[in-house]
Amino acid sequence: MAWIIAFFVVAFVVAPVVWVMPTPAQRRQARLRQHAQSLGLSISITELPQSRRDRVRKEPTRLGVRYCLPIVREKSFYRPQWLIWREAPEGEEAVSERCPAPLKGQSAALRERMTPDMVALESGAEGYALYWRERGDESAVDAVAELLEEVRQLAGGERYVRK
């Protein structure tokens, strides 16, 4: 009987420690995000973009990850905000009309390079971003960084230099 009581006492002590430890999937995500930060990307967990139809119908949003390549923000310079879908939702254009001409010309090639877990490319106030579901390994993060750098070059944005 004493052994059973000792077993339960030890189990109650060890259980919270085991519960707090990260899972293999969480460790993989941490490695991906750490690698992305070493490449100069910023990461945020956010809602994936929705089509106009989904917003009007008030469809539930899904969470995803946004990897952003920050660029220099000029106060007097207006940068258009645009979105390029990997697969355009029904009734939506694959490339937003405010997208710069060099990007519109290369949009088909950019969309082909996007993997199935990538949702869209975006130009926002802080830089160029990619929405995706974070599947893959460090090579997938390298592909994201290369894609965002190519978008930056085509759009003419300057790379942000961290101090």
Side-chain angles (χ1 to χ4, degrees):
M1 183 70 173
W3 288 103
I4 294 172
I5 293 172
F7 172 76
F8 280 112
V9 168
V10 170
F12 281 121
V13 170
V14 172
V17 173
V18 172
W19 184 70
V20 172
M21 291 180 60
T23 65
Q26 290 170 332
R27 285 191 290 262
R28 183 189 64 78
Q29 276 185 339
R31 276 195 323 271
L32 289 178
R33 292 174 185 173
Q34 193 171 28
H35 183 64
Q37 287 177 335
S38 72
L39 295 173
L41 302 176
S42 64
I43 299 103
S44 59
I45 297 172
T46 186
E47 296 174 350
L48 294 175
Q50 288 187 307
S51 67
R52 183 180 182 287
R53 180 180 182 180
D54 289 343
R55 287 190 306 270
V56 168
R57 291 177 148 192
K58 298 186 190 310
E59 296 286 335
T61 58
R62 290 178 284 147
L63 287 180
V65 182
R66 182 176 180 262
Y67 279 47
C68 181
L69 177 65
I71 62 168
V72 175
R73 290 175 49 181
E74 299 175 25
K75 291 181 182 177
S76 61
F77 181 71
Y78 171 75
R79 277 189 334 104
Q81 294 187 351
W82 46 262
L83 189 77
I84 298 176
W85 293 95
R86 183 183 67 79
E87 287 183 9
E90 184 180 333
E92 294 269 334
E93 293 292 324
V95 180
S96 133
E97 59 188 45
R98 290 179 285 190
C99 189
L103 276 170
K104 278 186 180 178
Q106 294 293 321
S107 66
L110 292 172
R111 292 173 65 208
E112 285 179 16
R113 289 182 49 202
M114 294 170 73
T115 61
D117 59 326
M118 296 178 185
V119 177
L121 284 165
E122 174 192 59
S123 171
E126 61 276 342
Y128 303 106
L130 178 81
Y131 291 92
W132 71 311
R133 294 181 185 95
E134 243 180 352
R135 295 187 184 120
D137 55 4
E138 283 85 358
S139 63
V141 174
D142 291 334
V144 167
E146 289 173 15
L147 187 62
L148 289 173
E149 181 62 28
E150 184 177 339
V151 167
R152 182 199 64 81
Q153 289 174 359
L154 287 169
E158 293 191 30
R159 185 167 175 89
Y160 177 74
V161 180
R162 295 180 189 229
K163 294 181 180 181

